Amino acid sequence: MSAAAPHAPRARTATHCPYCALQCATLLSAPGGTVTVEPDPAFPVNRGSLCQKGWTAAALLAAPDRLTTPLLRDPVGRLAPTDWNRALDHTAERLRALRAAHGPDAVAVLGGGGLTNEKAYLLGKFARLALGTSRIDYNGRFCMAAAAVAQRAAFGVDRGLPFPVTDLAAAEVVLLAGANPAETMPPLMRHLERPDLIVIDPRRTRTAATAALHLRPVPGTDLALALGLLHLAVSEGMLDKTYVAERTTGFDETWARAGAWWPERVESVTGVPAAELRAAVRMLAGANRAYVLTGRGAEQHSKGSDTVAAFANLALALGLPGRPGRGFGTLTGQGNGQGGREMGQKADQLPGYRSLEDPADRAHIAAVWGVAPHALPGPGPGAHELLDSIGSPGGPRALLVAGCNPLVSAPDSGRVAERLAALELLVVADFVPSETAMAADVVLPVTQWAEEEGTLTSLEGRVLRRRRLLDPPAGVLPDLEVLRELAVRLGEPAGRYPADPRTVFEEIREATRGAPADYSGIDYARLDAGEALYWPCPEGGGGTPRLFLDRFAHPDGRARFAPVEHREAAERPDRDHPLYATTGRILAHYQSGAQTRRVEELLRAAPEPFVLVHPDTAARAGLADGQSARVVSARGGALVRVRCDPGLRTDTVFVPFHFPAAGRANLFTHAALDPRSGMPEFKVCAVRLEAAPCPRP
C-alpha cells in the first residue's frame, strides 16, 4: 500500500470548482509547476465566470500546512507522524475492540456534502457492512435536510432544482426566500439579471440590494410570511384552480390553515407591511414565467421543513411547478450536497434515495452488495442527535469523520467539543488540519479536488466529472483506498471495496437502477463525451433536465399541498438577550472555513470574525464600528469585531459561521431541531452584545 508515484502535471484538465453546488466548470493547467485556474466559457452554468473562491482555488493545493503523513496521538497527548500501516492497524484494532465490547452501534461515521459520489457511496457501504453500524449521517443534515424532506413530501422526489439553472435567465419574476446568491454563489446572478427579484431576508444583503422588492421579516417568521402570501393568492383571486384540481391534492386542508393568516395578522407577526405582501403575490401571479426558490435562511430553523412546504404551497397555488418556464426549487449549498444525500451516507437512505425501511429497497441493495437483506442495519439518528449522544449509554464510543468539520459547523459547538472529547477514538480523514482533525486520535491525509477522479451532482441534478490534474503528494492516499484498507483489516473482502472510481461508479449504476435517483444510464464515457446528463437517467435514456412536466413523482402523479402552521422559534429575545442573531456565509469564505482560511487572498478579504449590527443597536450596547465585542446567548459567546451596517434590522445581528476557536458563531446558536428533518435552528436565537477584549485575526 502506497501513494501513486508522482508524475509531471497534465497539460490541461477540464474539471469543476471544489466549492459550492453550482459546480462551475474550470480549466486547470500547471505551466512551470504552478497550477492556474480559468473558467470554462462553454459550461452553461457559470458561462466563463467564477467567484473569488473559484479563482483562488489552486492556492489550496499548495497550502503550507497540507497534511501529507498520517498522525497518531501519542501517550502524552501529542499528534505525531506515523506510517500508514501503523495508523490503519491501530484504527482497525480499536474499532474491533469497541464493537466487540459494546456492539456495532458503538462506532459512528460522519460524512460530508463535498465528497464525490463515489466516496459518499463507498463510505455508506463501509459503515453498514464493514462496521455494521446504523450510526452514519453527513453534514448535509445541517444544510439541505429541511428542503429535502419538504420537496419529497410535495413532489415525491428531492432534487434541489428540478430544472436547469439556465431556465432562470428567461424568468420574469423570481422569489428568493432566505437566499443570498450574490455572496454564496455569485455566478448564479448572471441568470438572475433579467428577472425582477423578490428577496425575503431580514437584512439588506448584496442580493437584496438588487431586488425589485425586499421583504424584511423578523427572524424566525418566514413560515408566517409564506402562509400570508398563500392567503393573498387565494383571497385575491390568483389561485390557478384548473392546475390545483388537475395536478394536486390536499388544497382544502391547507387552505383551512392559511385562511387564518390575513395580511394584517402576518404584518403583526413578521413586521412586513401588508402592502408589500400584496405586491409580492401580484408580481408572482402576474408573470408568465416565475419561480419560487428557497435557501438556508428559510430552511435552517426548527420548523424548516414546514417553511419550505409553505413556499411550495404558494408555488402550487400559482401553478408553477412542472410547467415550462416556471417552477419551485431549493438552492443546494455544498459542492456535492445533491449527490451526497443520494449515495447512502444519510442516516435513513440507501443509494438512489432507496429507503432503509422498504423491504424491496433493502433487497435490491443487499443483492448489489452481495449480502443478505437482514445484514443491513436500520435507520440511525441524524447528525446532531448522533453527536449529542456521544458519551451517553448506548451512544457512539468511536467516530470516523470524512469531509466535514463539526467542531466549527455544528450548533452549540461548545457542547459538541465536550462530546467529541468523550470519545474513546476519533479518526478524521482530511487534507488540511481542520479544527476537528487536530482534536483527533488518528488523522489520515487524503487527496483533494485536483488530485482525484470521480463525479459530483450539481444543484440542478446534473452529474459532472471531476478530473485529476496532479497526483497527490507523497504520503497521501485517496479516500477510496483508505476505506478499502480499513475494511480489509476489519475482515471484509477487498473486492467489496473498489479503490478505482470508475469501478465504484459502475456499482452505483446498479445500486440506483430503478430508484428515484436513477444513475443507471450514466457512465464515465458519456460524461467524458460532454453529454449533459441529469438524473433520473435510466439505461438507454438521455436523462431528465426538467422534472414533473407530465406528472409528479407520487404514485398518483399529483403534487401534495401540506397543511402547515406557524410556530415560534425555540428561543426569542428577552431582557438578558434582547436581540435576534442569525448566521450565514460571506463572499470570501466557505462552510467552516477550513479550506478558504488557508488561501491568503481570501483571508485578507475577511481575516477575522465579525458581527454586522445596525449603528443604533451598536450605540445602545455602548459599541462603535471597529470595536471588539462578544455575541452572547444562553449557551455561550463568540468574540467578534463590530461592523455597523444600516442594512440590518435594529433587532437583529448577523455573524458569519466560517471562523474557529473563540470566533465560532456556533458557540451561541441553538440546537433545537426540526422534528421532520433533524435540521438545527442555526438562523435564529436570542443574544446580547457586550464589549470584549480585542479579538486576534
Side-chain angles (χ1 to χ4, degrees):
M1 176 190 60
S2 62
H7 59 65
R10 290 152 184 83
R12 193 170 176 86
T13 298
T15 187
H16 292 268
C17 177
Y19 294 116
C20 83
L22 277 184
Q23 282 300 289
C24 294
T26 58
L27 300 170
L28 305 184
S29 57
T34 300
V35 178
T36 64
V37 179
E38 302 172 54
D40 185 345
F43 191 62
V45 171
N46 57 309
R47 299 193 304 183
S49 67
L50 291 173
C51 74
Q52 187 179 19
K53 293 183 290 291
W55 279 112
T56 60
L60 190 60
L61 298 166
D65 57 350
R66 173 73 188 272
L67 294 171
T68 58
T69 187
L71 304 175
L72 187 63
R73 199 165 294 278
D74 65 21
V76 297
R78 296 173 302 190
L79 279 173
T82 189
D83 61 71
W84 271 102
N85 282 321
R86 186 179 176 212
L88 293 171
D89 289 347
H90 174 84
T91 299
E93 179 184 341
R94 296 292 296 125
L95 291 174
R96 283 196 303 269
L98 289 168
R99 290 173 64 223
H102 305 287
D105 281 349
V107 178
V109 176
L110 191 64
L115 300 178
T116 63
N117 289 321
E118 293 80 0
K119 290 192 282 190
Y121 173 86
L122 207 68
L123 185 67
K125 184 180 184 180
F126 172 85
R128 294 187 171 100
L129 296 188
L131 297 176
T133 184
S134 68
R135 269 45 175 179
I136 174 172
D137 206 44
Y138 81 128
N139 65 355
R141 184 71 62 176
F142 301 151
C143 181
M144 288 304 299
V149 166
Q151 287 220 93
R152 196 164 186 176
F155 310 120
V157 71
D158 157 39
R159 198 175 92 186
L161 295 186
F163 48 81
V165 165
T166 51
D167 284 4
L168 296 171
E172 296 169 9
V173 175
V174 175
L175 184 147
L176 295 169
N180 180 23
E183 291 196 73
T184 59
M185 44 181 62
L188 180 63
M189 296 302 289
R190 288 199 166 196
H191 303 285
L192 297 175
E193 292 172 349
R194 180 181 183 275
D196 287 332
L197 301 184
I198 303 168
V199 173
I200 300 173
D201 200 303
R203 65 190 183 102
R204 185 172 172 79
T205 63
R206 295 189 188 195
T207 306
T210 71
L213 180 61
H214 178 199
L215 310 182
R216 304 177 65 188
V218 173
T221 64
D222 303 79
L223 178 49
L225 191 151
L227 287 164
L229 295 176
L230 177 60
H231 180 286
L232 283 165
V234 178
S235 64
E236 298 200 358
M238 291 173 270
L239 178 70
D240 189 330
K241 294 180 181 179
T242 301
Y243 175 96
V244 168
E246 294 179 352
R247 301 205 62 188
T248 74
T249 64
F251 172 75
D252 290 341
E253 187 179 357
T254 298
W255 172 240
R257 302 280 184 91
W261 286 92
W262 57 91
E264 290 72 22
R265 182 187 179 196
V266 175
E267 179 176 346
S268 71
V269 172
T270 68
V272 177
E276 293 183 3
L277 298 171
R278 289 188 171 91
V281 174
R282 289 168 183 166
M283 286 174 65
L284 275 173
N288 290 319
R289 297 180 300 279
Y291 293 84
V292 174
L293 306 177
T294 67
R296 302 304 81 71
E299 299 161 11
Q300 289 179 320
H301 294 270
S302 58
K303 51 184 178 293
S305 296
D306 287 354
T307 302
V308 178
F311 282 107
N313 289 341
L314 172 66
L316 289 169
L318 297 175
L320 304 183
R323 281 181 164 173
R326 302 179 176 189
F328 174 87
T330 60
L331 295 175
T332 304
Q334 295 188 76
N336 199 31
Q338 184 68 57
R341 63 186 186 270
E342 298 161 5
M343 289 298 133
Q345 63 171 333
K346 194 162 174 274
D348 56 347
Q349 288 179 180
L350 292 167
Y353 283 144
R354 297 189 189 276
S355 171
L356 271 164
E357 298 181 288
D358 184 291
D361 284 350
R362 292 173 63 89
H364 181 96
I365 295 300
V368 173
W369 289 354
V371 299
H374 65 78
L376 302 180
H384 180 74
E385 298 103 318
L386 186 156
L387 292 170
D388 198 53
S389 66
I390 293 170
S392 64
R397 293 168 178 263
L399 177 65
L400 279 66
V401 176
C404 63
N405 188 18
L407 264 179
V408 177
S409 63
D412 194 2
S413 63
R415 175 168 171 78
V416 170
E418 294 173 358
R419 295 301 84 217
L420 293 182
L423 287 165
E424 295 179 44
L425 178 68
L426 175 60
V427 181
V428 175
D430 211 330
F431 52 85
V432 294
S434 70
E435 288 70 27
T436 305
M438 291 299 91
D441 301 294
V442 183
V443 180
L444 305 176
V446 292
T447 54
Q448 57 168 308
W449 64 292
E451 302 162 354
E452 60 188 19
E453 298 284 327
T455 62
L456 302 101
T457 306
S458 72
L459 79 170
E460 55 183 1
R462 180 174 174 174
V463 182
L464 303 166
R465 279 278 281 119
R466 172 173 283 180
R467 298 180 181 88
R468 188 177 70 223
L469 174 74
L470 305 167
D471 283 330
V476 170
L477 290 181
D479 298 73
L480 299 181
E481 187 170 343
V482 173
L483 290 172
R484 182 186 64 189
E485 292 294 330
L486 274 176
V488 168
R489 285 166 168 79
L490 293 169
E492 287 283 286
R496 188 172 280 167
Y497 302 89
D500 172 54
R502 288 175 183 262
T503 305
V504 176
F505 193 85
E506 288 301 305
E507 190 173 310
I508 288 172
R509 296 178 64 198
E510 295 305 314
T512 62
R513 187 179 299 276
D518 189 337
Y519 281 51
S520 63
I522 305 172
D523 59 33
Y524 274 39
R526 295 186 72 181
L527 295 174
D528 287 341
E531 291 192 60
L533 299 174
Y534 303 74
W535 70 257
C537 184
E539 190 158 21
T544 315
R546 294 171 185 85
L547 295 174
F548 315 139
L549 295 180
D550 300 316
R551 66 192 313 275
F552 292 97
H554 289 297
D556 61 3
R558 291 172 174 258
R560 309 281 194 262
F561 278 91
V564 294
E565 183 57 78
H566 175 68
R567 56 187 183 274
E568 297 289 350
E571 184 174 80
R572 299 191 68 193
D574 56 26
R575 185 181 64 181
D576 293 331
H577 304 93
L579 300 171
Y580 293 99
T582 188
T583 67
R585 282 174 53 188
I586 58 175
L587 178 62
H589 290 302
Y590 179 71
Q591 300 302 93
S592 72
Q595 297 173 59
T596 51
R597 285 185 277 108
R598 288 174 163 81
V599 176
E600 184 178 351
E601 181 177 327
L602 300 178
L603 194 60
R604 283 200 308 268
E608 62 183 355
F610 60 87
V611 58
L612 294 181
V613 56
H614 192 281
D616 294 347
T617 307
R620 283 198 299 272
L623 296 166
D625 192 73
Q627 192 172 344
S628 60
R630 277 170 51 86
V631 181
V632 181
S633 74
R635 290 156 297 284
L639 190 60
V640 295
R641 184 82 63 187
V642 173
R643 291 189 186 178
C644 290
D645 182 352
L648 267 290
R649 295 173 54 96
T650 56
D651 59 0
T652 302
V653 300
F654 169 83
V655 180
F657 54 61
H658 311 293
F659 297 95
R664 281 175 290 170
N666 283 319
L667 287 168
F668 60 75
T669 54
H670 204 296
L673 300 181
D674 175 4
R676 297 176 62 196
S677 68
M679 171 68 77
E681 189 140 73
F682 289 107
K683 286 295 187 271
V684 58
C685 66
V687 300
R688 67 174 179 269
L689 291 177
E690 58 185 38
C694 182
R696 296 177 60 189

